[in-house]
Amino acid sequence: MIRLIDHGVFLTKQGDIIENKDIREKDEARKKTMAYGILQAHNKSGDMENLKLSFDALVSPDNNYVNILQTARASGIRKFPVPYVLSNCHHTLCAVGGTINEDDHVFGLGNAKRYGGIFVPPYRAVLHQYMREMMAGGGRMILGSDSHTRYGALGTMGIGEGGGEVAKQLLGRTYDVKMPPVLAVRLTGSPRPGVGPQDVALALVAATFKNNFNKNKILEFVGPGIENLSMEYRMGIDVMTTESAALSSIWCTDESTREYLRKHGREDAYRHLTPEDGAYYDGLIDIDLSRVECMIALPFHPSNALPIREFKERMEELVQEAETEGQKIKGSGGKPFSLMSHIRDGEFYVDQALVSGCSGGLFENIVAMADILKGYGIPGNGLNLGVNPASLPVMADLMEQGIAGELAVCGVTLRPAICGPCFGVTDVPADNQVSIRHMTRNYPNREGSKPGQGQMAAACLMDARSIAATVRNGGKLTAATELSVKYRSLAYHFNPQIYKNQVFDNFGRGDDREELVMGPNIADWPKMAPLKKHLLLKVAGSYEGSVTTDELIPSGEASSFRSNPEKISEYTMISRDKDYVGRAKAVRELERQRQAWERQGHDFCGDGKSAADSPDGACDNTVKNILAALCRQEQCGVEDILIGSAMVSHKIGDGSSREQAASCQKVLGGFANIANEYATKRYRSNLINWGILPLRTEEELNVPADTWIFIKNIRQVIEGKIEEVELRMLRLPEKGGVETAGTIKCTLDVLTDDERKILLAGSLINYYKAAEQKKQNEGDL
């Protein structure tokens, strides 16, 4: 089904491997890929090894655009330099959190009016569908603050990053990255009836995620199999490449691409893209579409995917493994988590079915479901099937062509064009239930359950076709290929008047007289301290295995508070470690105490007033003694040491691009993460933009919570571009002072000059504020 080649290959235009090619030609042959040409056209550095990219358009959903706009405003923005789409598809249930979500929408619209943006009101489109229909085109690059920013099937390289990178683009800065490796994804054959795009995508993710094959690389789709796929089929595969940890993607374009853009009134956006003959790739993923089977991704990650056929053969073993994993997540106490109870008479039964958003809610997927369910009625005494079309134009055409009516008669409910269940804010299953979903993720809690409160459910990812087949069989897990179905080939008719009437496109027409309305939950970023000479850390959380962005900051109702940095920070790690916030806040309070001592001129070397003489009330004697000992050892003052919290884990940052996964750590006083691996570039970028050191080590990490760590001359390390950072674990003997309990050698890996300046400044906001102030001072002179 899928074959991986983990060494460089040369390919013909048709995607065939060129044997016996001189490897010394690879540097020139790299320039023959589609990706190289697009990156070169957007690179401002003049150096193709160290890219500084500017994008053609930007996009953000309402679960993070307020933070981005606040960052840009704090940094002195005057207008949006490129089209910036503010989509409202995540925060749409405005009863959650009172006025909070709609306050964000009002604020977003005000920014679109003031700075010249494009505002897509709620229920009109999921952000990625709008970008496909209205913004993507051949040879373009789009940056989004949602991790599934993928428009490769239309010839656009999309990258999903944290909000800091979008703010940089708004401020006229660049996206800086080393030239990424480019992998060829060669498609051959044609999918069998009943096998959908999610099946191909899950097979790809299963083959490449856990071995890091695609991590931070660009996937370039080539080969004769492309012409056998419709545009929506290609898009459905493309959007899921995020789950393989790829940086971006690009596809060969053809007449199907041109026709899609023509139907959307944008034929001028078409560009024929194909690699040149003899292009060099850093690896190859070979997918024979005719051999792809109907797939299921078991809890709790899309990479836990395998054919439904194989799952049935090993059902008890695999379900027991998933149940054990779920019980670890839920923890002891309360009702046990149960998946084995879903096996009845040798079959696996599910409780809920959903198809939604940028991956599932496409026209062809929904039509195929109607074909499978034709003549079948979904009884109201159990399993239900809900569908969120990807956009209002998709919904309108489903109604126009009668598909919506067919589904309604069957018992399928069509919901508004929002991310909904994909984001964990609608359709939460009951405790211990199993939901099957055609959407992007099935992480723990992504379906909305709260293990910390005794609520635990599970989600499995499947294609819409197999979901419909399972519903038709009364909830018994069924691959669509097990049924004999006559599929229609209906064309999607896009009505441009829907967006023309309802989307506010104000690009290039901003008015700085426009007042910005800020609801009571919209708060400015707190002040963030720059790094000092030395850094004293206390570990607020230490974890085995992987820490995902969904664990760092959960999706669902917590996202209502994302416009309030302090409130949202209360949810940090809540689903995995309810004590993390308390420990981090305690460390933050120690830094505030240290600042008070600094203001009052305390001298811990013994020549001046001691902390015990402090008029500011009770103090923490432990940190006082540590500071005193370190000041003596390093011959420095209390003003030279910064106290912050740290997080330790083997792997951190798998998942979405949400910047709150890093900013909440910073709001709570975080200054460093220590890991063997950072799951994605976007999470590492988020850490840097919020002034958190992304320390990485090859050593075994056994650093429990509450461990004290000292990093000597950290500013000098960053300024001097010293590669190695020594972490000194501190032991506090009863006799007083501090001793070294051990050391860990770390690296910050490759940092750009700007990234070094951001870390030294303490955050992206501090860095830009200083730059703007310098500019004003020079202007005054």
Side-chain angles (χ1 to χ4, degrees):
M1 184 163 60
I2 294 184
R3 177 174 66 116
L4 305 180
I5 297 178
D6 62 357
H7 57 76
V9 295
F10 296 87
L11 297 184
T12 66
K13 267 187 178 183
Q14 294 73 32
D16 297 324
I17 296 177
I18 303 174
E19 303 289 354
N20 302 320
K21 187 81 169 175
D22 190 340
I23 196 67
R24 289 173 296 183
E25 298 179 23
K26 70 177 183 179
D27 289 340
E28 279 302 308
R30 288 182 193 277
K31 302 175 183 178
K32 297 181 177 182
T33 64
M34 295 179 286
Y36 188 95
I38 294 172
L39 291 170
Q40 185 177 48
H42 291 81
N43 181 33
K44 306 302 179 185
S45 72
D47 175 5
M48 285 301 291
E49 289 302 312
N50 299 286
L51 304 176
K52 291 182 175 293
L53 301 173
S54 290
F55 291 79
D56 300 296
L58 309 170
V59 61
S60 292
D62 50 353
N63 68 319
N64 59 36
Y65 67 50
V66 173
N67 294 156
I68 295 166
L69 294 167
Q70 289 287 71
T71 300
R73 288 178 63 243
S75 304
I77 190 172
R78 298 286 185 268
K79 66 176 182 177
F80 294 158
V82 296
Y84 184 25
V85 175
L86 303 178
S87 170
N88 296 277
C89 52
H90 284 58
H91 278 182
T92 47
L93 296 181
C94 296
V96 178
T99 70
I100 288 173
N101 290 341
E102 191 63 13
D103 289 343
D104 286 356
H105 299 162
V106 170
F107 182 71
L109 178 58
N111 277 265
K113 291 178 178 179
R114 184 181 181 93
Y115 300 115
I118 301 170
F119 186 81
V120 183
Y123 307 118
R124 273 59 170 198
V126 173
L127 74 162
H128 301 308
Q129 183 67 4
Y130 181 83
M131 299 305 284
R132 293 164 181 157
E133 292 178 333
M134 301 303 294
M135 303 297 291
R140 298 180 183 177
M141 291 195 75
I142 293 176
L143 183 70
S145 56
D146 183 275
S147 53
H148 294 99
T149 304
R150 289 285 189 273
Y151 317 118
L154 289 163
T156 295
M157 286 181 62
I159 296 178
E161 267 285 0
E165 293 301 325
V166 175
K168 286 181 183 178
Q169 293 288 312
L170 291 174
L171 296 163
R173 306 301 176 100
T174 56
Y175 177 77
D176 302 343
V177 63
K178 286 280 188 183
M179 178 67 183
V182 182
L183 304 179
V185 183
R186 180 171 61 182
L187 303 180
T188 57
S190 183
R192 290 177 285 168
V195 173
Q198 185 80 330
D199 296 316
V200 179
L202 290 176
L204 173 63
V205 173
T208 57
F209 175 78
K210 292 179 181 177
N211 57 13
N212 287 335
F213 196 82
N214 293 351
K215 183 178 176 180
N216 295 331
K217 298 171 185 174
I218 296 172
L219 304 185
E220 186 156 307
F221 286 78
V222 299
I226 291 178
E227 66 182 19
N228 298 327
L229 305 178
S230 70
M231 287 307 301
E232 285 198 344
Y233 205 114
R234 300 176 199 183
M235 293 170 185
I237 298 171
D238 187 58
V239 73
M240 287 293 292
T241 59
T242 295
E243 301 310 319
S244 73
L247 179 71
S248 187
S249 61
I250 190 70
W251 290 57
C252 291
T253 59
D254 55 20
E255 287 306 306
S256 293
T257 320
R258 185 197 297 274
E259 179 62 12
Y260 180 91
L261 291 168
R262 187 193 66 76
K263 285 183 176 180
H264 288 76
R266 302 193 298 115
E267 188 175 1
D268 60 343
Y270 174 74
R271 179 176 158 192
H272 180 63
L273 295 175
T274 188
E276 295 180 43
D277 200 55
Y280 178 82
Y281 295 92
D282 295 284
L284 175 68
I285 303 169
D286 223 346
I287 304 179
D288 182 349
L289 296 168
S290 66
R291 295 181 58 199
V292 175
E293 300 182 57
C294 294
M295 303 286 288
I296 181 171
L298 300 176
F300 295 91
H301 198 277
S303 63
N304 294 330
L306 72 166
I308 292 175
R309 169 194 55 78
E310 185 179 336
F311 169 75
K312 289 184 174 183
E313 293 170 356
R314 303 169 52 206
M315 186 185 305
E316 291 205 9
E317 168 200 348
L318 293 169
V319 173
Q320 183 61 67
E321 288 178 1
E323 181 177 282
T324 301
E325 180 64 22
Q327 190 60 56
K328 287 181 184 176
I329 295 167
K330 185 174 184 179
S332 59
K335 185 169 142 186
F337 176 62
S338 173
L339 280 182
M340 293 296 289
S341 59
H342 289 78
I343 300 176
R344 299 193 293 273
D345 300 323
E347 300 286 353
F348 188 77
Y349 285 84
V350 303
D351 306 292
Q352 183 197 63
L354 298 165
V355 174
S356 176
C358 59
S359 64
L362 302 178
F363 181 82
E364 291 173 5
N365 290 337
I366 299 169
V367 172
M369 294 171 69
D371 292 335
I372 292 168
L373 293 168
K374 185 176 182 180
Y376 177 79
I378 302 172
N381 61 354
L383 175 68
N384 291 304
L385 173 56
V387 176
N388 294 85
S391 69
L392 193 55
V394 171
M395 173 79 86
D397 200 38
L398 290 169
M399 297 169 69
E400 184 73 22
Q401 299 200 48
I403 304 302
E406 293 177 21
L407 291 169
V409 169
C410 292
V412 179
T413 57
L414 263 67
R415 288 85 175 278
I418 61 173
C419 294
C422 186
F423 190 53
V425 293
T426 65
D427 302 285
V428 181
D431 187 51
N432 274 345
Q433 285 195 344
V434 173
S435 177
I436 51 173
R437 304 180 166 199
H438 187 157
M439 48 196 68
T440 57
R441 288 190 172 135
N442 63 336
Y443 294 173
N445 326 337
R446 179 57 77 130
E447 82 299 320
S449 63
K450 295 179 171 60
Q453 298 178 22
Q455 306 169 20
M456 186 72 183
C460 300
L461 300 184
M462 292 166 54
D463 186 82
R465 292 151 188 80
S466 291
I467 289 174
T470 299
V471 171
R472 178 170 147 176
N473 263 356
K476 181 174 72 175
L477 184 65
T478 305
T481 49
E482 296 177 43
L483 305 179
S484 178
V485 177
K486 184 177 181 181
Y487 292 100
R488 288 170 285 183
S489 297
L490 298 182
Y492 166 45
H493 300 100
F494 173 77
N495 185 345
Q497 204 63 37
I498 294 174
Y499 289 150
K500 190 176 292 185
N501 289 342
Q502 300 178 56
V503 172
F504 177 63
D505 187 346
N506 197 45
F507 176 61
R509 295 184 290 275
D511 184 350
D512 58 11
R513 296 170 298 179
E514 183 67 33
E515 292 283 340
L516 296 180
V517 179
M518 297 177 67
N521 187 62
I522 298 176
D524 291 328
W525 291 108
K527 289 184 178 179
M528 300 176 194
L531 274 180
K532 289 183 173 291
K533 183 177 182 181
H534 310 301
L535 183 59
L536 177 61
L537 299 169
K538 191 176 187 183
V539 176
S542 182
Y543 312 99
E544 291 187 2
S546 175
V547 176
T548 70
T549 53
D550 267 36
E551 291 171 324
L552 284 158
I553 281 296
S555 56
E557 74 211 44
S559 65
S560 295
F561 298 104
R562 290 188 179 190
S563 303
N564 189 308
E566 186 67 31
K567 283 185 179 179
I568 186 65
S569 71
E570 296 283 344
Y571 289 85
T572 309
M573 294 297 291
I574 195 169
S575 64
R576 182 161 177 178
D577 180 0
K578 60 183 175 55
D579 296 323
Y580 174 84
V581 171
R583 288 193 294 263
K585 280 186 172 182
V587 180
R588 184 176 68 179
E589 189 56 38
L590 294 178
E591 167 58 17
R592 288 173 178 167
Q593 195 171 81
R594 187 209 61 79
Q595 291 174 15
W597 289 333
E598 178 182 342
R599 288 192 299 271
Q600 294 161 10
H602 292 303
D603 184 352
F604 288 155
C605 288
D607 298 328
K609 263 194 318 184
S610 72
D613 302 322
S614 172
D616 57 8
C619 67
D620 186 295
N621 284 323
T622 300
V623 76
K624 179 194 74 172
N625 292 334
I626 293 173
L627 287 171
L630 291 173
C631 287
R632 286 193 295 271
Q633 289 177 8
E634 304 302 330
Q635 288 299 297
C636 68
V638 68
E639 70 277 5
D640 294 318
I641 301 176
L642 179 73
I643 301 175
S645 60
M647 179 179 290
V648 178
S649 184
H650 299 103
K651 182 178 181 180
I652 312 180
D654 178 28
S656 74
S657 60
R658 64 187 66 163
E659 65 177 294
Q660 290 85 2
S663 66
C664 285
Q665 293 178 65
K666 186 56 179 279
V667 169
L668 291 170
F671 266 89
N673 277 11
I674 306 165
N676 296 128
E677 180 183 356
Y678 292 98
T680 58
K681 179 201 173 298
R682 57 181 174 266
Y683 176 70
R684 183 175 177 274
S685 295
N686 282 340
L687 292 177
I688 293 168
N689 286 331
W690 288 106
I692 299 175
L693 300 173
L695 295 165
R696 188 184 61 78
T697 182
E698 300 290 338
E699 298 180 28
E700 182 68 27
L701 283 172
N702 183 20
V703 185
D706 293 327
T707 299
W708 285 99
I709 300 172
F710 183 65
I711 306 179
K712 179 178 178 178
N713 292 327
I714 185 61
R715 286 192 68 91
Q716 184 180 335
V717 168
I718 296 172
E719 289 170 343
K721 304 184 180 181
I722 301 170
E723 291 187 4
E724 190 172 85
V725 185
E726 183 178 84
L727 277 58
R728 179 180 157 204
M729 312 300 120
L730 301 182
R731 180 170 50 239
L732 311 179
E734 290 184 8
K735 63 180 189 256
V738 295
E739 296 175 352
T740 300
T743 61
I744 297 177
K745 303 294 185 183
C746 290
T747 177
L748 288 166
D749 291 315
V750 178
L751 293 171
T752 67
D753 287 341
D754 276 355
E755 286 175 335
R756 294 178 189 279
K757 292 173 184 175
I758 291 167
L759 286 172
L760 291 168
S763 71
L764 179 71
I765 294 174
N766 289 1
Y767 172 54
Y768 281 152
K769 272 184 179 176
E772 186 65 23
Q773 187 62 54
K774 182 180 178 183
K775 189 187 301 182
Q776 289 178 9
N777 292 342
E778 290 173 350
D780 292 341
L781 293 175

